[in-house]
Amino acid sequence: MTTIINGKELAKKINEQTKQRVEQLSKTGNVPGLVVVIVGDDQASQRYVRNKNKTAQRLGINSIVKQLPEETTEAELLALIDEYNSDDSIHGILVQDPLPAQIDEKKVTHHILPSKDVDGFHPVNVGKLYLNDSSNYPVACTPKGIMTMFSEYGIDLNGKNVVMIGRSSIVGKPMAALMLNAGATVTIIHRNTRQPRNFTQKADVIVSATGSLHTLGVDDVKEGAVVIDVGQNMNEDGHLVGDVDYEDMLDKVGYITPVPGGVGPMTIATLMQQTVDLCEWGAKDSE
């Protein structure tokens, strides 16, 4: 019997916990602050930012959306980040992708203070993740949300054979590091991997983050495997689907995430959770 991992319901639970934490912090005069900077008018980014802002406001987080024109220079964006780096009321800074061609994304990522890097992409925080550092630091929100799913559904990664499909810095690499830190044996496969089925058919857990239809079919997985689908694609009928042939797998795998309603809601819930984390950590550091 396949268990469908309900990210939408779990996100509601996480958000309720986050709201309660915000209320407790507010009593001490600390209101978590999140700023999202968006450059240009990419419609998909605009919708995503609106969802983030709406969720943050509902949870009591001080949410600011800073809209900049397409022609904004790199120097202007970095100067704005400097302002928020110096603003004690802002605990999390996020610059929404994609950025215009005149702006170097790496420079922007490096310019955000590690202590305000709510996306978990700064090299300092990435380094701590790979070192399995015991201190407090933010982690990429999608992988962190997936780890919350594993915990909630009692999926123990220790000693498991895990395959990560995709090697991006946003999902694939931090996800692999988190699972490695949890005691799994991790293999990363990607577009240059020869005969990927040789790896996926032996995996206890598979996480797919390629953004390509039909990345993983029913014959690519073993009986009872855990399948986490991070992909978001439009199929031939114009419907949102993942990387995985979901319907075909329902009678074979042990656990699976749907698209939509799986990993997506957990990413935003984790962003809110991590904003509050940064506020709490900052308050402790200033004591």
Side-chain angles (χ1 to χ4, degrees):
M1 181 71 178
T2 300
T3 298
I4 297 172
I5 299 176
N6 192 329
K8 191 173 181 180
E9 286 302 313
L10 180 53
K12 287 181 182 177
K13 177 179 176 180
I14 299 299
N15 283 337
E16 184 55 38
Q17 293 170 351
T18 299
K19 185 177 181 180
Q20 292 173 8
R21 292 169 65 201
V22 172
E23 290 171 355
Q24 289 302 313
L25 280 166
S26 298
K27 292 176 182 177
T28 66
N30 291 314
V31 178
L34 171 67
V35 61
V36 179
V37 181
I38 184 167
V39 184
D41 57 359
D42 180 83
Q43 291 305 301
S45 296
Q46 295 280 359
R47 285 193 298 273
Y48 191 44
V49 167
R50 281 198 297 271
N51 286 338
K52 290 175 181 175
N53 185 49
K54 187 186 298 184
T55 302
Q57 290 181 340
R58 190 172 72 247
L59 301 182
I61 293 171
N62 174 29
S63 178
I64 299 170
V65 176
K66 185 69 175 179
Q67 175 75 55
L68 300 178
E70 183 79 21
E71 61 271 18
T72 298
T73 67
E74 184 179 281
E76 288 171 334
L77 178 55
L78 296 182
L80 179 64
I81 292 172
D82 280 334
E83 290 181 27
Y84 290 126
N85 278 338
S86 302
D87 187 342
D88 291 339
S89 70
I90 298 298
H91 304 95
I93 302 171
L94 186 156
V95 179
Q96 184 66 43
D97 284 338
L99 291 171
Q102 73 271 16
I103 299 176
D104 185 332
E105 186 176 327
K106 284 187 178 179
K107 279 189 182 178
V108 172
T109 300
H110 292 199
H111 209 72
I112 297 170
L113 284 177
S115 59
K116 296 193 176 188
D117 169 37
V118 72
D119 257 339
F121 295 158
H122 193 285
V124 168
N125 293 322
V126 173
K128 288 181 176 181
L129 171 61
Y130 275 84
L131 291 171
N132 200 16
D133 193 276
S134 60
S135 64
N136 294 320
Y137 55 90
V139 175
C141 293
T142 297
K144 187 174 180 179
I146 293 170
M147 294 301 289
T148 302
M149 286 177 158
F150 288 145
S151 176
E152 180 72 15
Y153 281 80
I155 299 168
D156 184 8
L157 296 177
N158 188 41
K160 297 292 176 61
N161 182 15
V162 172
V163 168
M164 177 70 231
I165 310 177
R167 53 180 173 175
S168 75
S169 298
I170 296 172
V171 179
K173 291 176 182 176
M175 187 77 247
L178 283 167
M179 294 189 292
L180 186 64
N181 293 346
T185 299
V186 182
T187 301
I188 301 176
I189 64 174
H190 45 80
R191 68 182 65 188
N192 297 328
T193 301
R194 297 176 182 177
Q195 298 181 317
R197 187 175 284 182
N198 289 346
F199 300 96
T200 59
Q201 287 180 334
K202 299 173 184 175
D204 301 309
V205 179
I206 303 172
V207 180
S208 181
T210 66
S212 297
L213 286 168
H214 312 304
T215 294
L216 203 66
V218 66
D219 294 331
D220 299 321
V221 303
K222 74 176 186 178
E223 196 85 28
V226 177
V227 177
I228 306 296
D229 192 349
V230 185
Q232 293 200 342
N233 314 288
M234 301 305 293
N235 69 7
E236 298 82 0
D237 300 321
H239 297 139
L240 180 65
V241 296
D243 295 346
V244 173
D245 293 342
Y246 177 80
E247 296 293 339
D248 294 344
M249 290 197 189
L250 283 178
D251 292 330
K252 186 174 185 180
V253 299
Y255 295 84
I256 193 167
T257 57
V259 178
V263 173
M266 286 300 296
T267 298
I268 294 180
T270 303
L271 175 68
M272 301 303 139
Q273 184 185 54
Q274 196 147 255
T275 300
V276 179
D277 288 340
L278 293 174
C279 179
E280 289 178 344
W281 298 340
K284 287 179 182 177
D285 289 343
S286 62
E287 288 177 355

